[in-house]
Amino acid sequence: MEYEAVIGLETHVQLKTKSKMWCGCANQYGSDPNTHVCPVCLGLPGVLPVPNEEALRLTVLTGFLLNCEIPRFAKFDRKSYFYPDAPKNYQLTQYDKPSTQNGFVEFELGDTTARVRITRAHLEEDVGKSFHFERHSGVDFNRAGVPLLEIVSEPDITSAKMAYDYLNALKDILIHGGVSECDMEKGMVRCDVNISVRPVGSKELGAKIEIKNMNSFSGVRRAAEYEIARQIAAVKRGEKLIQSTRRWDDEAGVTDEMRTKEHAHDYRYFPDPDLMPLAPKDAWLAEVKSRVVELPLARKRRFMREYQLPAGDAEVFTSNVPLGNTFEEEVGTISNGIQEAGKTKLIKLVANLLINSSQSTTASQNETIEPAKPFPVGEILNLAGLIQNNTTNSSTAQQVILPEMRKTGKSAAAIIQEKGLAQVSDTGAIEKFCDEVIAANPGPANDFKSGKAAALNFLKGQVMKLSKGKANPNLIGEVLEKKLK
Ligand SMILES: [Zn+2]
C-alpha cells in the first residue's frame, strides 16, 4: 500500500512594532538581559495590560495579505501554563474568536501554483527566554510580551519541499507587507509542524504528530523528510501511531518523543477579564487596508506579463522593491510612438542596466563613498536608447557612463560627448584596429584560421582594448572574420 503525508504548520512571527504588546517596553532584540522589562511584562500583581494598537493593525494587515476574513468581533483569552519563561503563568492569546480567519497563500511549486489554506492568524504574546549554565539557569524577560502572530495553516501540505516553499512564500509576504522583519537568526520566526500519514486516496487523517519549536526552514524540511519516512515505515510494520509531540535533534537528524496525548497540557482557556473585545470599525479597517502592498508572486507575474521580462529579472525587481520601482518609473517615460519590437528590446536594456548596476554597487560598496547625485527620471531609458542605436555599447554604459551619471548627475549624452565615449561604428576605423591586432597576434590569428573558433574572442578583446572600449562589438566580429577567412 502507498502512503502520503499530510502536513499543517503553525508559524509564529514577531510583529514589527516599536513597543511590546501590553506595555511601553521596547520590542528590541540583542539588549542586555532584563533591560526592557516593567511590572506589566513581568506579570506582577495588580497590573493592567493596554493593547498595542499597531500590533492590532499589523494583525489585520496580515489578514488582508493572506486573503483572510476579518471578523467584526475578536477577543483575547488566557491560556494557562506554568513555565519559568512565562512570568504571568498564562499567555494572552486569541482562542475561539481570532482577529483573522479563512484565508490562503499562493506560491510557485515547481511549474505549478500551489495554494495552502490559512485557518487563522491570531495575535498573542511571546514568552521570555531561558538560558542554562553549568550550575544554574537564568531567564531573560526582554522577549516576554513581544507581539506574536500565530499563523495556522490547514493540513494542505503534502511534502517536505512544499512545507519549505510555503514558509519561504509566507516570509516574503510578511517582509514585503511590512508586518515582520522575519529575521530567523534573531528567532523572529518559529514553527510547529504537524505531520501525519495515510493511505493514498484516503480522506481520513492519521494520528497527528507535532514537532515543536523549529527555528529554521531548512530544519523544518529535514525534520519533515525524516518524520514522514519514520511514520510510513512504522505503519508498514503494522504499528499504531498515537497523537504525540516530538522534538527535532538537528545534529543527530532525528525526532524524539517528548510527550503523548495523555500528558497534553490542559490550558483552561477563558476570556481575559482585563481586555475589551475587539470590534473593528469600517474606517479603521479601511485605514489598515490602505497599507496593503502588491504581493511578491503577483508582482513577479505582472513584471513578466507587462514588460515581457524573463522570470529571473522579474524576481530581482520583486525582491528589490525600490529597484523595481525605479525600473517602472524609467520605462513609464517611453513614448507611445515607439514600435512594439523596439520597445521590448529597449525595456530589456533598461532592466539589464539597473540589475547589473545594482549588483556591482553592492559588490563595491566601499568605493561609493561619494553620495549618488540624482538624475532625472528617464535618463536610464535615454542611456538604453543610446545602446540601442549603437551610440555606445552595454559594457561602456555599465562600467563608465552610468557610474558617472550617478556621480555627477549629468545626462548620458553629455557624458558621452565630454569623455569622447561615442562608439566607433565606422568600418574603416574598425578595419584599421583589426589589422593592427592581427599583425600583433599571429598565433591566435592562425588558430582561428585552423578552426579554433574560441580564438576569435581573444582577438575581439584585443580590438576592444585598442579602441579603448569604443569599437562596436558586433562590427569587430564581422570585420575580423572577414579578414581571417
Ligand atoms: Zn514591559
Side-chain angles (χ1 to χ4, degrees):
M1 197 187 284
E2 286 301 306
Y3 288 87
E4 65 180 6
V6 179
I7 305 173
L9 289 168
E10 292 164 21
T11 312
H12 293 88
V13 180
Q14 284 185 358
L15 293 176
K16 197 163 81 178
T17 55
K18 289 202 176 77
S19 56
K20 292 190 185 180
M21 189 60 225
W22 315 110
C23 61
C25 292
N27 171 9
Q28 198 178 311
Y29 176 87
S31 306
D32 286 339
N34 299 307
T35 49
H36 301 301
V37 292
C38 73
V40 174
C41 55
L42 288 174
L44 300 187
V47 295
L48 287 170
V50 178
N52 180 330
E53 194 178 1
E54 179 63 1
L56 300 176
R57 283 194 210 103
L58 291 176
T59 301
V60 168
L61 177 59
T62 304
F64 286 132
L65 293 170
L66 303 183
N67 308 292
C68 289
E69 296 161 11
I70 313 296
R72 292 306 180 102
F73 181 89
K75 66 178 173 66
F76 289 104
D77 304 275
R78 291 186 182 184
K79 178 184 184 182
S80 313
Y81 66 96
F82 175 76
Y83 211 72
D85 55 15
K88 292 199 291 260
N89 293 338
Y90 61 83
Q91 181 189 31
L92 281 168
T93 182
Q94 296 182 312
Y95 179 53
D96 55 348
K97 296 287 176 191
S99 279
T100 80
Q101 61 192 23
N102 300 331
F104 62 86
V105 174
E106 277 188 336
F107 55 99
E108 286 177 331
L109 185 68
D111 294 333
T112 60
T113 303
R115 178 185 281 211
V116 170
R117 289 170 297 155
I118 299 295
T119 317
R120 54 196 279 169
H122 65 255
L123 185 54
E124 54 187 38
E125 60 181 326
D126 213 340
V127 293
K129 205 171 176 204
S130 302
F131 291 88
H132 304 290
F133 306 101
E134 209 171 311
R135 299 179 60 84
H136 66 286
S137 291
V139 191
D140 176 10
F141 288 111
N142 283 349
R143 202 176 70 177
V146 163
L148 198 66
L149 202 62
E150 178 170 338
I151 302 167
V152 183
S153 87
E154 290 287 309
D156 289 349
I157 298 167
T158 53
S159 69
K161 160 111 175 59
M162 188 174 174
Y164 181 78
D165 288 357
Y166 159 80
L167 286 170
N168 278 303
L170 186 62
K171 178 180 156 191
D172 280 352
I173 292 170
L174 298 175
I175 292 175
H176 265 75
V179 170
S180 171
E181 285 171 23
C182 292
D183 191 331
M184 313 286 295
E185 304 279 309
K186 296 178 182 170
M188 288 179 184
V189 186
R190 279 116 57 197
C191 36
D192 302 336
V193 189
N194 296 308
I195 302 181
S196 60
V197 295
R198 66 182 174 194
V200 172
S202 162
K203 290 281 164 229
E204 251 171 79
L205 290 172
K208 186 175 86 173
I209 291 170
E210 183 177 32
I211 310 170
K212 280 280 207 198
N213 270 326
M214 303 291 307
N215 55 16
S216 85
F217 293 170
S218 56
V220 169
R221 186 175 176 161
R222 276 177 288 132
E225 273 165 6
Y226 173 85
E227 189 58 23
I228 293 166
R230 185 190 73 83
Q231 290 183 25
I232 291 176
V235 289
K236 281 191 172 168
R237 281 197 304 269
E239 277 175 40
K240 194 169 160 38
L241 294 166
I242 51 165
Q243 189 175 332
S244 57
T245 302
R246 300 177 74 87
R247 180 194 297 120
W248 169 245
D249 181 336
D250 202 55
E251 257 171 51
V254 297
T255 59
D256 311 308
E257 189 165 279
M258 286 164 74
R259 57 175 181 265
T260 54
K261 202 189 172 189
E262 297 91 81
H263 302 101
H265 289 294
D266 176 8
Y267 291 123
R268 288 168 289 124
Y269 287 100
F270 69 94
D272 188 286
D274 295 334
L275 289 161
M276 292 288 284
L278 301 165
K281 295 213 164 62
D282 288 343
W284 188 84
L285 289 172
E287 186 213 317
V288 175
K289 197 158 201 173
S290 71
R291 290 168 68 174
V292 171
V293 296
E294 186 180 29
L295 293 184
L297 182 59
R299 185 173 168 92
K300 178 184 163 187
R301 290 188 171 160
R302 184 172 65 78
F303 272 65
M304 290 173 71
R305 191 180 60 240
E306 260 177 48
Y307 305 115
Q308 315 283 313
L309 289 178
D313 289 7
E315 273 163 21
V316 174
F317 291 140
T318 300
S319 60
N320 186 339
V321 174
L323 192 71
N325 292 346
T326 304
F327 167 79
E328 291 205 280
E329 281 168 19
E330 288 291 331
V331 300
T333 61
I334 293 180
S335 59
N336 289 326
I338 203 161
Q339 276 186 333
E340 213 43 54
K343 191 171 164 181
T344 309
K345 273 189 199 154
L346 195 58
I347 289 173
K348 178 69 179 116
L349 283 169
V350 172
N352 290 351
L353 280 170
L354 285 169
I355 290 171
N356 293 336
S357 73
S358 77
Q359 282 156 357
S360 65
T361 30
T362 15
S364 59
Q365 254 171 0
N366 297 337
E367 293 165 32
T368 55
I369 299 158
E370 221 171 322
K373 280 195 189 166
F375 41 81
V377 174
E379 263 314 310
I380 290 181
L381 178 70
N382 287 342
L383 179 56
L386 294 169
I387 299 170
Q388 200 174 31
N389 71 15
N390 287 323
T391 304
T392 184
N393 57 53
S394 294
S395 62
T396 309
Q398 204 70 68
Q399 287 158 21
V400 187
I401 304 172
L402 195 53
E404 194 67 13
M405 285 164 70
R406 292 228 157 86
K407 213 165 102 186
T408 61
K410 287 180 184 165
S411 74
I415 290 165
I416 289 173
Q417 205 181 17
E418 269 174 37
K419 299 206 159 225
L421 292 171
Q423 175 162 274
V424 177
S425 294
D426 162 14
T427 325
I430 290 176
E431 280 192 11
K432 256 178 71 189
F433 288 134
C434 291
D435 287 337
E436 218 174 296
V437 165
I438 290 168
N441 298 283
N446 284 327
D447 285 350
F448 180 71
K449 279 184 204 160
S450 60
K452 281 189 192 158
L456 191 69
N457 283 333
F458 170 78
L459 295 169
K460 273 187 188 173
Q462 294 303 306
V463 175
M464 201 44 127
K465 213 165 144 190
L466 194 63
S467 74
K468 299 200 171 67
K470 290 191 287 187
N472 179 334
N474 296 329
L475 283 180
I476 301 178
E478 269 174 42
V479 172
L480 277 174
E481 274 190 67
K482 206 170 68 196
K483 286 188 181 292
L484 293 171
K485 238 184 203 163

